[in-house]
Amino acid sequence: MTLSSERETTKAAFLEAHGFGDVRRESLGGDASTRSYERLHREGGATFIFMDQPPSVETAPCPPDATPAERAALGYNALARLAAGRVDAFVACAGWLNAQGLSAPKVLAADAAIGLAVLEDLGDDLYARLIETGTDEAPLYDAAIDGLLAIHAAPTPDVLAFDGSTWPLLKYDDLALKTAHDIFVEWQPKFRDITFDAAALAEWEAIWAPIRSLGEAGATVFCHRDYHAENLIWLPQREGAARVGMLDFQDAVLAHPAWDLSMLLHDARRTVSPEREAASLERYLAARPELDRTAFLADYHALGALNIIRILGIFARLVTRDGKPRYADFIPRLWVYLDVCFADPALADLKAWFDQYVPVETRR
C-alpha cells in the first residue's frame, strides 16, 4: 500500500467513525503549508470542512521549557515557535477564540494523533475575494480591528485548553523573533544576486537586538499570527466582532499587539492603502486610550518592519527552495510597505543598512 492510499484509508476510517461516512468529498487543495482541505457535503445541503495535517511531515514544535540549543536541534518550528500544524493546537486555539465570543470554526471531530479534524464550514466569503469583486472594504476592516480589540482585551492563559486538547501559549521571544528576521539574510542572497559579509551581518544583529527586546517585552496578548484578508471570512449575519470568521490561527503565540496589526495592514497578498492603514490604526488606538500613541506607533513600525522582512525571506524561500514562483508576485508590494515603515526616524539605522547592502534594483 502506498503512503497516499494508506492515508486515504485512515481518512475514510476517521470519517466513518465520527458519523461522516455518508458525505460527498470535494477537494479544496492546500496552501503554503503541509495541510490540505476538503469540503464535506451531506445530503440535505449541510457542509463541513475536513482538515488533513499529516503529523509526521513537519519538524517538532517547541517544548515550553526547551533551551535555545534544544530548539535549534529540533529545527525551524521550534526556533520560530510554530505549531508544526498540530491539530491539538488548532482545537485549543479555536476553543479559546470561540470562548471570547469570536468566530473560529467549531471543531466537530478531531484526532490529533493522526492529524485529522472536521470543522464548521464558515463559507467562502474571504475578505480578499469579496473586496476583489467590489465589496466595500471599510466595514470588513473595521470588524477585523474590532476582532483584534476583543482578543487584546482578553486574559491570556499560559495553556489553552478545549475539549480535551491543550496547547501552550508560548511567548514570541527573542530567539523566535531573531529566527524571523534572519530568514531574510539566509534566503535573499539565493533569490537575488547579493551577498552579506561578516560586517553586514554584525550590523544586522546590532540593529535588530533592541527591536527584538521591545517585541518580547510587549508580548502580552494572544497573537493569531496570520491575520490577513486571505484568512478572514465575512459573516454579516453575526454581530460585532463575531462577523469576522478566523482561520489558520494554530501558530498562535503571546506577542506584542502590533504584530497582528502588521499582518492585517501589511498584507502581502493585497494592497492595503495608506488611507485604510491610517483609518484602521486610528480605530484601534481610539478604542485603547490607555496606550501611548507615539510609542505604540513606533513599535508598530519597528515590529512591522521585522514582520515584512520575515515574509520577504519566507517568500524568497518558497520561490527558490520549494519551486513556488507565484510568491514572487507578492514581493514588490512588501517593499512598498517596508519603505513606509522606514520613514519612521527611529528606524534610520535599519533603513541605512538596506540602502548599503540591498541595492534598489534587487528590491523586487
Side-chain angles (χ1 to χ4, degrees):
M1 182 179 291
T2 66
L3 285 177
S4 60
S5 61
E6 183 178 348
R7 185 65 177 170
E8 179 54 36
T9 299
T10 299
K11 291 163 70 174
F14 171 87
L15 291 172
E16 183 68 35
H18 292 280
F20 294 93
D22 60 342
V23 297
R24 177 174 63 84
R25 295 166 56 184
E26 172 195 3
S27 176
L28 299 178
D31 51 23
S33 73
T34 54
R35 289 182 300 280
S36 62
Y37 298 91
E38 298 175 39
R39 177 165 275 129
L40 306 180
H41 298 263
R42 183 165 274 162
E43 190 172 340
T47 61
F48 313 91
I49 298 298
F50 187 25
M51 183 170 68
D52 177 12
Q53 172 61 68
S56 60
V57 298
E58 294 259 9
T59 61
C62 182
D65 57 352
T67 66
E70 289 168 340
R71 286 163 68 178
L74 286 170
Y76 176 73
N77 284 329
L79 285 168
R81 288 192 156 163
L82 295 167
R86 291 275 294 271
V87 166
D88 41 348
F90 185 95
V91 172
C93 291
W96 186 86
L97 288 166
N98 283 319
Q100 312 315 310
L102 300 170
S103 294
K106 292 182 171 58
V107 180
L108 307 175
D111 188 327
I114 59 175
L116 296 172
V118 176
L119 313 173
E120 176 188 12
D121 186 358
L122 296 180
D124 293 319
D125 285 340
L126 289 173
Y127 272 35
R129 301 293 84 78
L130 291 177
I131 295 168
E132 284 173 355
T133 55
T135 299
D136 182 7
E137 68 177 22
L140 277 65
Y141 275 88
D142 285 351
I145 291 296
D146 293 347
L148 288 182
L149 287 165
I151 289 172
H152 295 173
T156 49
D158 293 334
V159 177
L160 306 175
F162 178 75
D163 198 25
S165 289
T166 60
W167 194 256
L169 190 67
L170 302 180
K171 182 176 287 189
Y172 210 162
D173 66 353
D174 183 84
L175 180 54
L177 291 164
K178 177 176 171 56
T179 301
H181 65 59
D182 279 356
I183 298 171
F184 179 86
V185 290
E186 179 181 1
W187 288 97
Q188 187 69 10
K190 300 177 176 69
F191 181 61
R192 296 288 184 240
D193 186 20
I194 56 175
T195 58
F196 302 123
D197 61 18
L201 295 175
E203 289 178 41
W204 176 262
E205 170 58 23
I207 291 166
W208 281 117
I211 296 174
R212 297 198 308 266
S213 179
L214 73 86
E216 181 167 3
T220 56
V221 300
F222 178 103
C223 175
H224 178 296
R225 206 170 179 176
D226 215 8
Y227 197 79
H228 57 77
E230 296 278 355
N231 282 335
L232 302 177
I233 293 178
W234 186 231
L235 303 170
Q237 71 279 14
R238 302 188 185 186
E239 296 183 358
R243 293 176 297 168
V244 185
M246 300 180 187
L247 306 175
D248 208 13
F249 41 71
Q250 63 281 337
D251 289 319
V253 286
L254 192 73
H256 194 293
W259 193 267
D260 273 342
L261 283 166
S262 173
M263 286 302 306
L264 179 68
L265 303 176
H266 299 141
D267 192 329
R269 294 165 179 80
R270 69 171 306 271
T271 298
V272 178
S273 70
E275 294 77 17
R276 173 49 45 203
E277 179 187 25
S280 294
L281 288 171
E282 180 57 36
R283 186 179 184 88
Y284 183 86
L285 289 166
R288 297 197 64 190
E290 77 279 7
L291 293 177
D292 180 319
R293 174 182 292 256
T294 300
F296 186 86
L297 289 174
D299 288 359
Y300 168 77
H301 292 140
L303 293 171
L306 196 161
N307 184 38
I308 294 162
I309 288 163
R310 174 188 70 90
I311 299 169
L312 284 166
I314 289 172
F315 286 178
R317 184 175 66 188
L318 284 166
V319 173
T320 58
R321 186 192 71 182
D322 301 338
K324 297 182 176 182
R326 75 183 186 92
Y327 287 91
D329 296 340
F330 305 139
I331 285 175
R333 179 181 294 115
L334 290 163
W335 286 110
V336 174
Y337 294 143
L338 193 56
D339 282 340
V340 174
C341 290
F342 282 168
D344 190 319
L347 296 181
D349 287 347
L350 184 60
K351 181 181 184 301
W353 188 94
F354 273 83
D355 289 344
Q356 180 173 356
Y357 295 112
V358 186
V360 171
E361 62 270 19
T362 69
R363 302 183 195 183
R364 50 184 171 79

